[in-house]
Amino acid sequence: MITLTDFKNKSTYKGFITDEIMPIIIERLEYLEINDYLLNYHNTKDLRSKIAKMYKPILDQLFNEGLDKSDSKNRVVIHTFRHTFASHLAINGTPIYTIQKLMNHKDITMTMRYAKLAPDSGQSQVNELYK
């Protein structure tokens, strides 16, 4: 588990990381002192801005070539990965309340936009109900 900071509501919450990410984090831990952050800046606006600027050219090259600069609907940005994560959770049958927790949504209505991606949600439970 890692502690994440939610920039919108200035709260922290716990998140899970995959086994593939562990070696990267372990390597980074060698350079950290007690209570240091993996990513840290003096204020969150600096951190968000630096991350966005760092990844923008990469995202533009990989996903945004040929798109008009004003095409915000189809343009891939860092936040796109957050939506993709939640979408994949829903598509794979993750319960909506679990998605809410993992996304740190304070209101379930924010999470409900992903529910439509799991049209078969509940199908297996209905099939198993009277067996």
Side-chain angles (χ1 to χ4, degrees):
M1 282 185 136
I2 59 173
T3 301
L4 300 165
T5 299
D6 187 325
F7 294 120
K8 284 186 178 178
N9 62 29
K10 297 180 176 92
S11 68
T12 60
Y13 62 105
K14 299 295 181 186
F16 299 99
I17 54 173
T18 62
D19 292 338
E20 294 84 6
I21 299 297
M22 279 306 294
I24 297 168
I25 292 175
I26 289 170
E27 182 180 317
R28 176 81 171 103
L29 289 176
E30 293 178 32
Y31 305 101
L32 297 179
E33 300 291 330
I34 293 175
N35 295 323
D36 279 351
Y37 296 94
L38 286 175
L39 295 172
N40 190 20
Y41 256 71
H42 297 293
N43 69 56
T44 57
K45 284 188 179 189
D46 285 346
L47 176 61
R48 285 187 293 180
S49 175
K50 183 170 175 90
I51 291 171
K53 284 179 184 174
M54 185 172 62
Y55 284 105
K56 185 183 183 315
I58 297 167
L59 296 175
D60 285 347
Q61 180 183 359
L62 292 173
F63 304 106
N64 299 325
E65 267 188 24
L67 285 179
D68 187 88
K69 298 250 187 240
S70 63
D71 186 357
S72 61
K73 182 178 180 182
N74 293 307
R75 185 165 292 284
V76 173
V77 296
I78 287 291
H79 200 73
T80 305
F81 296 112
R82 181 173 164 82
H83 291 295
T84 302
F85 173 68
S87 297
H88 286 183
L89 288 170
I91 290 166
N92 285 295
T94 305
I96 200 71
Y97 288 108
T98 301
I99 296 173
Q100 178 187 16
K101 178 183 172 202
L102 291 170
M103 298 299 291
N104 198 41
H105 288 157
K106 299 300 178 207
D107 187 344
I108 192 66
T109 56
M110 181 67 82
T111 314
M112 289 305 293
R113 68 175 138 184
Y114 300 104
K116 67 180 180 278
L117 299 173
D120 296 333
S121 180
Q123 179 69 47
S124 62
Q125 289 81 2
V126 171
N127 289 338
E128 297 295 319
L129 187 59
Y130 296 107
K131 285 188 175 183

